């Protein structure tokens, strides 16, 4: 099992507010923004203000200030609903893109929820490659890639009965290349607890092919990044 040290990982990547920053490429990635999740919750009966647009914008602005990336990738499931995109959701996306494009190049990678995205925005892609890194959403298998960055599964780790969105890192686990799994960027998504997850438990066909026990959770809390032992070790001592 190839375990990475915290120092090694942080020398390559930054982790902040649910975003991954690839230092050598000045590349920032977030996944599963799920714009419109607040509307869906409202339709289910949660009738209180969730301030989704304001919260998302605050997080994007903080990330831009922290990393000043050259390229910012929204890695799939940009929309929440499969079949409808309201005017409010379109306006939120337009505001987010205007904020990002004022500072850097923006790439939109389609996810499984983004059926309506190409018709509304155009210029979307299924994958993005830059300097030996490949960004895909993760809902489909991919064989030819660099260091792989995916979303789709919304990982979270449970520590002392508290749940924290987390990244998952695997050294050399995907066709000999490193793998990074992104948490859901939308703070209204609680995430899926992975403490005891086996490969078969993941949604992504990419993750089903790897040894889940070798994946290391990376948690960012109050600006401090902690790289935890592989999931196999967490299972033994939980």
């Amino acid at each position: 099992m190839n375990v990475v040290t915290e120092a090694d990982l942080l020398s390559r990547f930054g982790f902040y507010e649910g975003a991954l920053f690839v230092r050598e490429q000045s590349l920032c990635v977030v996944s599963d923004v799920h714009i419109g999740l607040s509307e869906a919750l409202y339709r289910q009966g949660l009738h209180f203000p969730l301030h989704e647009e304001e919260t998302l914008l605050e997080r994007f602005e903080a990330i831009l200030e922290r990393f000043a990336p050259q390229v910012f990738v929204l890695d799939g499931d940009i929309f929440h609903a499969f079949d409808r995109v309201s005017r409010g959701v379109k306006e939120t996306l337009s505001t987010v893109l205007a904020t990002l494009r004022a500072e850097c190049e923006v790439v939109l990678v389609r996810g499984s929820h983004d059926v309506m995205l190409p018709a509304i925005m155009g210029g979307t892609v299924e994958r993005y490659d830059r300097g030996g890194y490949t960004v895909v959403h993760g809902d489909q298998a991919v064989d030819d890639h660099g260091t792989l960055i995916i979303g789709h599964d919304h990982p979270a780790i449970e520590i002392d009965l508290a749940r924290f969105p987390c990244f998952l890192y695997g050294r050399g686990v995907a066709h000999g290349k490193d793998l990074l799994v992104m948490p859901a960027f939308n703070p209204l998504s609680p995430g899926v607890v992975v403490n005891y997850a086996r490969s078969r438990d993941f949604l992504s066909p990419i993750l089903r092919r790897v040894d889940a026990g070798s994946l290391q959770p990376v948690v960012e809390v109050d600006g401090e990044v902690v790289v935890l032992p592989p999931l196999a070790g967490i299972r033994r001592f939980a």
Side-chain angles (χ1 to χ4, degrees), residues 7-50:
D8 284 345
L9 199 62
L10 295 184
S11 70
R12 293 178 62 193
F13 304 108
F15 303 89
Y16 183 66
E17 290 286 350
L20 172 74
F21 182 61
V22 183
R23 301 189 190 281
E24 64 179 311
Q25 297 299 321
S26 191
L27 169 66
C28 204
V29 183
V30 301
S31 187
D32 298 280
V33 182
H34 283 277
I35 298 173
L37 178 53
S38 63
E39 286 187 4
L41 294 173
Y42 185 86
R43 289 195 299 273
Q44 293 171 18
L46 297 178
H47 294 171
F48 54 87
L50 297 174

Side-chain angles (χ1 to χ4, degrees), residues 3-231:
V3 178
V4 67
T5 67
E6 190 168 295
D8 284 345
L9 199 62
L10 295 184
S11 70
R12 293 178 62 193
F13 304 108
F15 303 89
Y16 183 66
E17 290 286 350
L20 172 74
F21 182 61
V22 183
R23 301 189 190 281
E24 64 179 311
Q25 297 299 321
S26 191
L27 169 66
C28 204
V29 183
V30 301
S31 187
D32 298 280
V33 182
H34 283 277
I35 298 173
L37 178 53
S38 63
E39 286 187 4
L41 294 173
Y42 185 86
R43 289 195 299 273
Q44 293 171 18
L46 297 178
H47 294 171
F48 54 87
L50 297 174
H51 306 293
E52 181 182 62
E53 179 176 317
E54 294 89 340
T55 302
L56 290 175
L57 282 174
E58 286 176 3
R59 297 186 78 184
F60 278 119
E61 289 167 353
I63 292 163
L64 289 171
E65 183 176 354
R66 170 67 65 96
F67 296 129
Q70 293 179 6
V71 181
F72 206 122
V73 179
L74 304 188
D75 185 19
D77 285 4
I78 296 165
F79 290 148
H80 180 68
F82 293 90
D83 57 346
R84 64 190 298 271
V85 179
S86 69
R87 177 180 297 179
V89 168
K90 292 178 186 177
E91 290 174 351
T92 297
L93 176 59
S94 295
T95 302
V96 165
L97 292 180
T99 299
L100 296 177
R101 286 171 173 162
E103 303 294 334
C104 57
E105 178 187 350
V106 179
V107 178
L108 304 180
V109 174
R110 296 189 297 275
S112 54
H113 282 240
D114 297 322
V115 177
M116 307 291 290
L117 185 64
I120 292 170
M121 295 306 303
T124 62
V125 298
E126 291 187 356
R127 63 182 281 169
Y128 177 72
D129 291 276
R130 179 179 174 90
Y133 291 83
T134 300
V135 183
V136 295
H137 183 59
D139 55 314
Q140 299 182 38
V142 57
D143 294 323
D144 179 20
H145 56 79
T147 292
L148 198 54
I149 301 170
I150 70 172
H152 194 50
D153 267 275
H154 305 192
I157 193 80
E158 197 168 84
I159 303 172
D160 293 333
L161 301 181
R163 181 180 299 191
F164 301 92
C166 70
F167 301 81
L168 295 174
Y169 175 79
R171 174 177 278 177
V173 299
H175 300 103
K177 302 293 178 64
D178 293 356
L179 171 68
L180 274 151
V181 187
M182 305 287 299
F185 185 69
N186 194 314
L188 299 178
S189 173
V192 178
V193 173
V194 296
N195 293 55
Y196 305 102
R198 307 288 178 175
S199 301
R200 63 179 178 272
D201 298 323
F202 288 105
L203 294 175
S204 171
I206 295 169
L207 285 172
R208 289 178 189 160
R209 293 180 176 182
V210 308
D211 173 15
S214 68
L215 301 176
Q216 290 182 250
V218 180
V219 183
E220 187 261 319
V221 182
D222 296 330
E224 182 177 352
V225 178
V226 179
V227 180
L228 298 175
L231 289 177

